[in-house]
Amino acid sequence: MASETLTLISATPSPFARMNRIAMQLKGIQFELQNEVPWESSTVTPKHNPLEKLPILLFPDNKRAPVYDSAHIQEYIIQKYADREPKLLTGDIDLDLEARQIQVLSEGMMDAFVLAFWEGQREEDKRSKEWMARQDRKIDGAMRAFDEMVKARKNQGREFLVGDQLTIADIAAVCAVGSIDYIGVREGWKSKYPDLAKWWEEMDQREGFRDTRPVMFELKESVV
Ligand SMILES: N[C@@H](CCC(=O)N[C@@H](CS)C(=O)NCC(=O)O)C(=O)O
């Protein structure tokens, strides 16, 4: 397994795929990045995932079924490359459940962000204010929750969200907060949550994080 090259179907701005890119880079897993625009008709995502979403992990000669959903790909990486450092989980059941919970929160925030983004792309009179407000509440709720976690950990003198080493929780939270920062949908978030901002900025400089930051792509087809 160590020498095989995997393929990650990704999109340059995708915070979901970024989670997997960081984990694979840190573990030294060989992979090729196949960048796609998943909303365009030419995308190959429906061939590999009935949900038509990326990230998707593909295997040489298709010897294994594609693995999709960012959190599930993290699980695959952790389980199948358990012998490689960093482990990205702590080995303690309760702490690891906590790490996975933070990953769920991050993924949910990114999902809400994507839904709000597309709603905002509709013509003004076709947008649902209620729907946008619902997604905005989820994003703001998650930002508040991340800020509270970071503050609590800071008070305990801890650098990471769970345990004493970097885990999938830190990776997921950095990618989720990074998507908000990158698109600029929450101007002033850094002054509203200074502890979260400081933690995020430091984490975002780390190996694996600094070279996977989002890059916008050009969308040529209409989506909504
Ligand atoms: N929950 C999924 C969400 C992935 C997702 O929304 N990916 C976007 C790209 S950033 C996508 O492929 N969207 C295409 C679509 O929704 O049809 C995951 O964590 O992998």
Side-chain angles (χ1 to χ4, degrees):
M1 177 192 290
S3 60
E4 69 179 12
T5 302
L6 308 183
T7 300
L8 184 72
I9 302 188
S10 178
T12 57
S14 172
F16 302 97
R18 189 184 178 203
M19 284 172 33
N20 306 135
R21 290 166 64 199
I22 293 172
M24 290 169 90
Q25 281 193 31
L26 292 180
K27 277 189 174 281
I29 299 170
Q30 279 182 51
F31 71 103
E32 280 168 3
L33 210 53
Q34 182 176 326
N35 281 319
E36 290 269 326
V37 181
W39 288 283
E40 289 198 337
S41 46
S42 59
T43 183
V44 300
T45 51
K47 256 174 61 182
H48 304 294
N49 175 1
L51 304 175
E52 306 194 7
K53 292 183 183 188
L54 57 80
I56 307 171
L57 193 59
L58 301 177
F59 299 88
D61 306 321
N62 298 321
K63 65 178 185 191
R64 187 182 184 104
V67 176
Y68 48 81
D69 188 280
S70 55
H72 192 54
I73 296 174
Q74 292 301 67
E75 202 61 33
Y76 181 90
I77 293 167
I78 286 167
Q79 305 282 348
K80 297 294 275 188
Y81 294 85
D83 54 338
R84 297 212 193 167
E85 295 292 338
K87 299 286 185 215
L88 301 179
L89 279 178
T90 67
D92 175 277
I93 290 180
D94 290 309
L95 290 180
D96 290 347
L97 286 169
E98 204 185 307
R100 289 188 176 95
Q101 183 69 78
I102 294 172
Q103 186 171 254
V104 167
L105 174 67
S106 308
E107 196 179 323
M109 177 173 139
M110 298 188 289
D111 283 333
F113 170 70
V114 170
L115 290 175
F117 173 81
W118 287 116
E119 194 63 29
Q121 295 300 301
R122 293 183 199 277
E123 286 162 35
E124 188 132 24
D125 59 333
K126 297 204 173 104
R127 282 181 212 158
S128 162
K129 287 198 177 62
E130 294 81 1
W131 184 250
M132 298 273 276
R134 178 169 284 271
Q135 307 314 323
D136 279 344
R137 280 202 306 279
K138 296 177 203 288
I139 295 169
D140 293 328
M143 288 295 274
R144 261 196 316 278
F146 288 137
D147 186 54
E148 280 161 19
M149 277 175 218
V150 165
K151 275 203 205 98
R153 296 297 283 169
K154 188 179 150 193
N155 290 340
Q156 296 164 0
R158 303 300 179 96
E159 184 182 358
F160 302 107
L161 292 181
V162 177
D164 294 321
Q165 287 165 16
L166 183 89
T167 67
I168 51 169
D170 303 296
I171 295 177
V174 169
C175 293
V177 172
S179 66
I180 294 300
D181 184 73
Y182 169 66
I183 300 287
V185 286
R186 288 295 181 282
E187 294 282 328
W189 77 267
K190 290 185 182 174
S191 41
K192 189 168 179 193
Y193 305 119
D195 293 302
L196 177 61
K198 185 167 182 296
W199 177 84
W200 174 78
E201 275 166 2
E202 284 171 11
M203 283 283 167
D204 203 46
Q205 295 298 330
R206 294 173 71 98
E207 186 204 338
F209 292 75
R210 58 176 179 264
D211 45 0
T212 53
R213 291 183 187 135
V215 175
M216 194 31 97
F217 54 31
E218 196 192 343
L219 202 57
K220 299 192 200 86
E221 293 173 22
S222 132
V223 179
V224 289

